[in-house]
């Protein structure tokens, strides 16, 4: 065990808070403030503070497990486990073709792992069937951002710009619970005289801090944005010169918005016309303003259009690509940004290149030393891949994800996973998905390994190894190396993260997410580097990185941003007589995603011990439900039961459930896998349910 102080980053959310880790003689690890790291300036939430407890959790896997003839998972040696996985994947490939083998990754994997996993799928397995759980997280914002600006980077500016702008509209985002240290940026905004508008069907802890809280019916924020744009036009607040000089497509977008009268929008959303007018006034009054979205508008079957409508609002008022103004997405998972840039997504190659682009294929194939024609084309998106398990896709290698809890229509996904011919899972604990595997590999965690992540600002960071991993576990890169070797590819899968990063740099060079000017030495000396950061010419100074994008031009062919001509449409599933209530899902302060890690921490479990159904007193009275009563929430996909939590902070037509838990209270048993046509993001945020007291 090392005993020095190691500056590193939290394993959980996309803020990637800086922290110092100090291992103690008794095996515990102390978390200390890292005040010099600008993103969180030493502040951590409870999840980050307690993260080291997962390192020493009794639930930690320290030996590979293989399924015995009797059907039990039993300990095995690494060679046996890797042989079984290689055998299972090779057998399926030989019998049914390469696309019968699937790979599922995660938005928490480091850049190096995401890169190596994408390369492994395409070069070693030759399969197109790779995607990852980040598809569930922010893909609609990525799609809308790419359409509008030619490039997707969560925030095109650093967080430090937020307190200096004039107004922020936070749409479907609850940073007070999901990334608490970021709340200070909004507090400082208000202290500086700026205003905060929160759009959320619930009066969240974030909404409580707002100058204006708009609570639209779930699934109607597209209409809300259009109604605001209508008023912007009607009140003469369009920045005509900016629209003329820096955008394209305004006339179509304007015509679409003009069809959304405020009174019509009020009827759709439940947000009154005076509230709409006030929101427009607050947003347009200052010289600079921002719109930030998160999972609320994004996790819808019309998520791309919804985000596009919010971007329209920024463009029409001249609030994008200008100092202290712009649209941004608050990415969720720890490496949600980097995880979508380096090749584990079904349609992408490293450097945010498109798999369908011949020049991109040529470049990356050159780095990989393979024939570009040997690279498969795009595969299925995450839910479509999970839905194809046991039918078209018969074997799966899964890394850094727990879809039995986190995927929509989870009972169906669980059934699909059970029907696989072969499943291998790499994880740190026996997650609900790992428990179904034929082989489970115990892997190292954040503090036990070095690697890079890219936070929600596009800031590439170095996570450093601070403690020695327990005996019996190996890194994901070692796993891929061992499997590639067994599958006949002896070279190209190094186990040292820095070596992988050096290759990633070359693969990303010249791409939209260009990391070629970043190296471990540079990352180790500072507080991260913003991409794009191209390598300098032989004589030139190092590129400084790009904290602020689009100030001169957007990343489109002609440098202009594109409006989206979008119109309101209903959610995939609207309430009816049989299912009269809307369900929306989300996170709570003390748990993270599927809870595979945070449910192992006593302090977090004490704060958030299990699922609940949040509902308004009027709905509770109609159901005859009292606080704590078990409520059955039933959708067309299944039934979940959890205790009632009654609050006036939610709309009477809506119930809320957090999605961190498996079993009877699994919220994703209920959710609708209807997909956005562009981003293929499922509609986690809204479906129709029936609620009854479960007596
Ligand atoms: Fe970790 Fe996110 Fe909490 Fe920061 S806000 S400590 S990154 S979970």
């Amino acid at each position: 065990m090392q005993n020095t102080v190691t500056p590193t980053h939290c394993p959980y959310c996309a803020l990637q808070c800086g922290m110092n880790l100090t291992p103690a003689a008794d095996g515990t690890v102390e978390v200390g403030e890292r005040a010099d790291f600008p993103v969180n300036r030493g502040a951590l939430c409870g999840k980050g503070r307690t993260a080291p407890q997962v390192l020493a959790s009794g639930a930690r896997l320290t030996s590979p497990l293989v399924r015995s003839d009797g059907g039990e998972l039993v300990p095995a040696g690494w060679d046996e486990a890797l042989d079984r996985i290689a055998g299972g994947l090779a057998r399926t490939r030989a019998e049914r073709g390469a696309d019968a083998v699937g790979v599922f990754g995660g938005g928490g994997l480091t850049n190096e792992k995401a890169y190596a996993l994408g390369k492994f799928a395409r070069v070693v397995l030759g399969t197109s069937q790779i995607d990852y759980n980040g598809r569930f997280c922010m893909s609609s914002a990525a799609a809308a951002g790419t359409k509008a600006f030619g490039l997707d980077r969560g925030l095109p500016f650093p967080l430090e710009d937020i307190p200096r702008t004039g107004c922020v509209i936070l749409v479907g985002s609850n940073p007070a619970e999901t990334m608490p240290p970021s709340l200070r940026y909004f507090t400082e905004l208000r202290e500086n005289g700026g205003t905060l508008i929160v759009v959320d069907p619930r009066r969240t802890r974030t909404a409580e801090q707002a100058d204006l809280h708009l609570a639209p019916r779930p699934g109607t924020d597209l209409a809300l944005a259009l109604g605001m744009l209508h008023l912007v036009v009607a009140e003469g607040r369009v920045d005509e010169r900016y629209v003329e000089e820096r955008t394209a497509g305004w006339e179509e977008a304007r015509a679409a918005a003009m069809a959304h009268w405020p009174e019509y929008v009020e009827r759709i959303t439940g947000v009154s016309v005076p509230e709409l007018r006030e929101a427009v006034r607050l947003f347009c009054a200052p010289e600079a303003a921002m719109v930030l979205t998160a999972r609320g508008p994004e996790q819808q079957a019309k998520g791309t259009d919804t985000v596009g409508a919010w971007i329209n609002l920024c463009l029409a008022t001249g609030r994008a690509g200008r100092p202290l103004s712009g649209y941004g997405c608050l990415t969720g998972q720890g490496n949600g940004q980097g995880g979508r840039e380096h090749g584990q997504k079904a349609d992408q190659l490293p450097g945010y290149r498109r798999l369908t682009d011949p020049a991109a294929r040529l470049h990356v194939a050159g780095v990989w030393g393979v024939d570009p024609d040997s690279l498969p084309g795009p595969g299925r998106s995450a839910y479509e891949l999970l839905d194809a398990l046991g039918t078209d896709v018969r074997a799966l290698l899964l890394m850094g994800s727990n879809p039995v809890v986190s995927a929509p229509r989870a009972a169906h996904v669980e059934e699909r996973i059970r029907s696989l011919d072969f499943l291998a899972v790499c994880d740190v604990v026996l997650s609900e998905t790992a428990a179904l595997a034929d082989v489970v590999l115990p892997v190292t965690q954040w503090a036990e390994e070095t690697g890079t992540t890219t936070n929600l600002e596009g800031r590439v960071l170095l996570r450093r190894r601070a403690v020695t991993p327990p005996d019996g576990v190996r890194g994901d890169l070692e796993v891929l190396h061992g499997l590639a070797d067994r599958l006949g590819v002896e070279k190209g899968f190094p186990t040292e993260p820095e070596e992988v990063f050096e290759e990633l740099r070359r693969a990303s060079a010249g791409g939209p997410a260009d990391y070629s000017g970043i190296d471990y030495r540079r990352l180790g000396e500072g507080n991260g580097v913003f991409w794009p950061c191209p390598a300098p010419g032989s004589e030139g100074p190092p590129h400084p990185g790009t904290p602020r994008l689009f100030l001169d031009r957007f990343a489109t062919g002609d440098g202009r941003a594109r409006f989206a001509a979008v119109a309101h449409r209903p959610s995939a599933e609207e309430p009816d007589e049989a299912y009269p209530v809307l369900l929306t899902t989300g996170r709570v302060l003390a748990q993270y995603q599927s809870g595979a890690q945070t449910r192992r921490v006593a302090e977090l479990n004490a704060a958030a011990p299990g699922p609940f159904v949040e509902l308004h007193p009027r709905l509770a009275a109609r159901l005859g439900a009292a606080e704590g009563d078990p409520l059955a929430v039933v959708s067309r996909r299944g039934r979940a039961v959890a205790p009632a939590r009654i609050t006036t902070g939610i709309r009477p037509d809506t119930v809320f459930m957090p999605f961190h838990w498996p079993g009877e209270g699994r919220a994703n048993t209920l959710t609708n896998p209807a997909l956005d046509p562009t981003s293929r993001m499922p509609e986690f945020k809204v479906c129709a349910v029936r609620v009854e007291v479960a007596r």
Side-chain angles (χ1 to χ4, degrees):
M1 183 80 70
Q2 302 153 23
N3 57 5
T4 49
V5 178
T6 305
T8 189
H9 297 273
C10 175
Y12 297 123
C13 85
L15 208 55
Q16 285 296 285
C17 291
M19 57 170 65
N20 286 325
L21 295 183
T22 312
D26 63 0
T28 59
V29 179
E30 189 186 311
V31 177
E33 277 189 17
R34 192 178 154 193
D36 64 313
F37 185 64
V39 173
N40 61 310
R41 294 188 213 150
L44 296 169
C45 77
K47 297 183 287 274
R49 264 192 304 101
T50 59
Q53 291 182 34
V54 187
L55 299 169
S57 163
R60 187 79 193 270
L61 295 173
T62 53
S63 165
L65 302 172
V66 298
R67 187 80 53 192
S68 70
D69 292 343
E72 303 295 312
L73 280 173
V74 296
W78 269 94
D79 280 342
E80 181 190 350
L82 289 170
D83 286 347
R84 280 227 208 175
I85 297 175
L89 301 180
R91 198 165 41 251
T92 302
R93 188 175 58 177
E95 289 171 1
R96 298 178 178 273
D99 277 356
V101 180
V103 175
F104 201 88
L109 299 178
T110 60
N111 291 321
E112 291 80 357
K113 293 179 186 183
Y115 172 84
L117 192 63
K119 181 179 176 184
F120 179 83
R122 285 153 185 141
V123 172
V124 178
L125 298 174
T127 182
S128 66
Q129 300 300 302
I130 174 169
D131 211 55
Y132 79 124
N133 64 16
R135 178 79 68 171
F136 299 158
C137 182
M138 56 351 91
S139 51
S140 293
T146 304
K147 276 185 178 185
F149 308 127
L151 183 70
D152 154 50
R153 196 182 82 186
L155 295 180
F157 41 74
L159 285 162
E160 69 186 45
D161 284 3
I162 290 175
R164 297 186 293 133
T165 190
C167 176
V168 174
I169 307 181
L170 262 181
V171 190
S173 174
N174 182 13
E177 296 207 58
T178 56
M179 42 181 72
S182 72
L183 203 63
R184 74 170 165 83
Y185 292 104
F186 303 101
T187 308
E188 288 171 13
L189 163 75
R190 297 188 66 226
E191 285 169 358
N192 291 344
T195 51
L196 177 64
I197 302 172
V198 171
V199 178
D200 199 304
R202 302 166 63 218
R203 189 163 180 82
T204 60
R205 293 183 198 196
T206 309
E208 278 167 6
Q209 320 248 342
D211 298 279
L212 179 64
H213 172 210
L214 306 178
R217 194 169 167 272
T220 66
D221 33 6
L222 170 53
L224 187 73
L226 288 164
M228 287 182 67
L229 185 55
H230 181 111
L231 285 172
V232 164
V233 176
E235 294 175 3
R237 297 180 185 270
V238 175
D239 186 335
E240 304 283 358
R241 186 160 171 203
Y242 172 93
V243 168
E244 170 68 27
E245 289 176 357
R246 298 206 57 188
T247 72
W250 170 230
E251 279 315 312
E252 295 82 354
R254 179 183 175 283
M258 294 321 282
H260 292 74
W261 290 90
E263 293 76 10
Y264 171 54
V265 168
E266 179 181 305
R267 281 202 302 280
I268 297 169
T269 63
V271 175
S272 70
V273 174
E275 285 176 312
L276 268 182
R277 286 193 193 284
E278 178 63 0
V280 169
R281 188 187 68 79
L282 292 177
F283 184 67
C284 293
E287 211 165 289
M290 298 173 177
V291 173
L292 304 178
T293 66
R295 304 305 79 75
E298 298 163 14
Q299 289 180 327
Q300 297 184 33
K302 53 178 183 288
T304 304
D305 284 358
T306 303
V307 174
W310 288 105
I311 292 174
N312 283 353
L313 191 65
C314 292
L315 295 178
T317 52
R319 282 131 199 279
R322 278 178 165 171
L324 306 179
S325 277
Y327 160 78
C329 155
L330 296 170
T331 300
Q333 294 190 84
N335 196 26
Q337 182 66 50
R340 70 195 195 235
E341 296 165 0
H342 296 299
Q344 64 176 330
K345 202 161 170 241
D347 52 357
Q348 281 178 359
L349 288 170
Y352 227 143
R353 289 183 155 96
R354 282 182 298 116
L355 197 45
T356 49
D357 175 359
R361 294 170 69 89
L362 189 67
H363 173 82
V364 175
V367 175
W368 289 351
V370 299
D371 179 350
D373 292 338
S374 72
L375 297 176
R380 291 177 172 86
S381 72
Y383 179 76
E384 292 165 297
L385 175 55
L386 294 171
D387 192 35
L389 299 182
T391 53
D392 293 348
V393 179
R394 307 297 291 244
L396 185 71
L397 172 65
L398 187 143
M399 205 172 254
S401 187
N402 187 15
V404 166
V405 178
S406 62
R409 199 187 174 195
H412 171 74
V413 166
E414 181 175 342
E415 184 256 319
R416 291 290 84 219
I417 290 172
R418 286 180 188 276
S419 73
L420 279 164
D421 295 343
F422 183 80
L423 172 65
V425 174
C426 304
D427 211 327
V428 299
V429 294
L430 195 65
S431 70
E432 288 71 20
T433 308
L436 305 180
D438 297 286
V439 182
V440 183
L441 297 180
V443 289
T444 48
Q445 295 188 47
W446 58 290
E448 298 161 353
E449 57 189 16
T450 294
T452 62
T453 60
T454 306
N455 84 344
L456 77 177
E457 306 168 287
R459 186 194 296 257
V460 185
L461 300 163
L462 185 64
R463 269 201 209 148
R464 296 174 174 88
R465 175 172 156 142
V467 300
T468 307
D471 289 341
V473 308
R474 292 186 185 175
D476 291 305
L477 295 177
E478 287 176 87
V479 169
L480 294 174
H481 173 86
L483 291 177
D485 191 40
R486 282 166 173 78
L487 290 164
V489 180
E490 289 162 17
K491 288 196 177 139
F493 289 89
T495 57
E496 280 305 315
E498 186 167 3
E499 213 177 316
V500 178
F501 191 81
E502 287 299 307
E503 186 181 305
L504 181 158
R505 290 176 62 190
R506 286 188 284 122
S508 76
D514 190 333
Y515 282 39
S516 60
I518 306 173
D519 59 30
Y520 271 32
R521 183 195 54 74
R522 206 171 156 188
L523 293 178
E525 286 170 357
N527 286 319
V529 179
F530 291 81
W531 71 257
C533 180
S538 51
E539 300 295 312
H543 189 286
T546 316
R548 294 171 183 85
L549 294 168
F550 312 139
L551 291 179
D552 300 324
R553 67 190 307 278
F554 295 98
T556 53
D558 59 9
R560 290 168 177 269
R562 298 286 186 279
F563 280 97
V566 294
H568 164 72
R569 58 182 186 274
S571 299
E573 199 174 70
E574 289 287 330
D576 57 18
E577 221 169 281
Y579 300 96
V581 176
L582 290 164
L583 168 72
T584 192
T585 62
R587 289 165 49 188
V588 297
L589 175 64
Q591 299 287 352
Y592 180 71
Q593 305 296 56
S594 81
Q597 294 134 295
T598 49
R599 283 189 274 116
R600 320 289 168 182
V601 178
E603 182 183 327
L604 300 178
N605 280 336
F612 56 87
V613 181
E614 192 177 285
L615 76 169
H616 191 275
R618 291 220 296 271
L619 178 57
R622 228 170 49 227
L623 300 171
E627 179 78 11
D629 276 355
L631 292 183
V633 183
V634 185
S635 79
R636 289 179 176 84
R637 272 97 21 221
R639 179 178 190 268
V641 179
R645 190 176 285 185
I646 300 173
T647 169
T648 54
I650 189 166
R651 293 172 54 95
D653 56 6
T654 301
V655 294
F656 166 81
M657 288 185 76
F659 66 85
H660 309 290
W661 291 273
E664 190 183 46
R666 179 173 62 184
N668 276 321
T669 299
L670 307 164
T671 46
N672 188 353
L675 300 180
D676 179 279
T678 307
S679 69
R680 317 306 287 166
M681 166 85 95
E683 189 149 80
F684 288 97
K685 283 297 178 193
V686 54
C687 71
V689 295
R690 183 172 74 236
V691 186
E692 53 209 18
V693 178
R695 301 218 188 269

